Amino acid sequence: MECLVDLGWSGTSTTEVARRAGVSRGAQQHHYPTKMELVAAALEHLLEAQRLAFESAFAALPPGRRNVEGALDLLWEIFRGRPAKALLELAVAARTDDELRPLCRDLNEHILQVILETFEKLFPASNLPEDAVPTTLRGLFAMFVGLSVQNALDDDDAGHQAAVLAQVKSIARLIVPGDRGDAGPAATG
């Protein structure tokens, strides 16, 4: 994923990935014969690592922060990180790459499914009708993607992204009652 952030989709090659990973080109090709297979495997690994990191970070929050606001702050940290920038690079490249587009479309849906499962696990008692939860989370995901594009360009110099996040957190407090206190999720692994 580091290659995608540093070099973009067009600059990422299996040769460069093998060099950075410290493995021979033959070993890399044995496990991942094509760039697409390599990227697909890396994306699955990345998504699972991000999910586990989020859940661990949420569980480690002080009891008073183990709530929807704390969850949104952690999610925003993820969206500003290098892995998210790699995913953004893929999404932009997929717009014009017919081979990459299905992978990114599937990845997008997989990310949304992980967000939905995590939300339902952390906040089973929201004030949203059950059938509205997936659409609401899809909208939140789309907003975070857009904010991450803005953040990649200006690192929130004017504080606009922070203002949007503060507004979203105030709305989220109405939808997800109370905080979780010290009853955070059990660490998964």
Side-chain angles (χ1 to χ4, degrees):
M1 294 291 97
E2 294 297 322
C3 283
L4 288 170
V5 175
D6 296 341
L7 306 172
W9 174 248
S10 62
T12 297
S13 66
T14 55
T15 302
E16 179 60 15
V17 171
R19 184 189 71 73
R20 287 181 180 216
V23 299
S24 71
R25 178 112 163 85
Q28 176 266 304
Q29 283 188 320
H30 173 73
H31 293 287
Y32 308 105
T34 68
K35 180 178 178 180
M36 205 59 63
E37 289 174 291
L38 177 64
V39 169
L43 289 173
E44 281 302 315
H45 174 76
L46 174 68
L47 184 55
E48 181 61 12
Q50 293 288 89
R51 182 188 66 77
L52 290 173
F54 177 87
E55 289 181 1
S56 295
F58 187 84
L61 287 173
R65 292 286 300 140
R66 222 171 289 143
N67 54 30
V68 70
E69 292 173 82
L72 288 169
D73 285 337
L74 291 173
L75 190 59
W76 182 229
E77 285 300 315
I78 289 171
F79 271 85
R80 290 186 306 175
R82 286 182 63 83
K85 289 176 182 167
L87 295 174
L88 182 61
E89 174 64 28
L90 286 175
V92 171
R95 185 184 69 80
T96 57
D97 187 311
D98 292 338
E99 187 180 11
L100 183 58
R101 190 174 309 116
L103 176 69
C104 287
R105 190 173 30 242
D106 291 346
L107 176 67
N108 196 45
E109 291 306 311
H110 190 75
I111 291 170
L112 284 162
Q113 187 60 40
V114 168
I115 290 172
L116 178 61
E117 290 168 2
T118 303
F119 176 81
E120 289 174 343
K121 179 178 169 182
L122 297 179
F123 307 108
S126 78
N127 291 326
L128 284 172
E130 190 174 321
D131 61 342
V133 172
T135 303
T136 302
L137 292 177
R138 186 176 291 275
L140 181 70
F141 174 67
M143 184 200 66
F144 270 58
V145 169
L147 288 174
S148 70
V149 171
Q150 292 175 351
N151 192 266
L153 298 174
D154 68 9
D155 201 27
D156 203 16
D157 288 336
H160 299 300
Q161 293 127 43
V164 170
L165 185 60
Q167 185 67 44
V168 167
K169 289 191 300 188
S170 69
I171 294 167
R173 280 192 303 266
L174 300 173
I175 296 170
V176 181
D179 68 48
R180 296 208 21 129
D182 56 6
T188 59

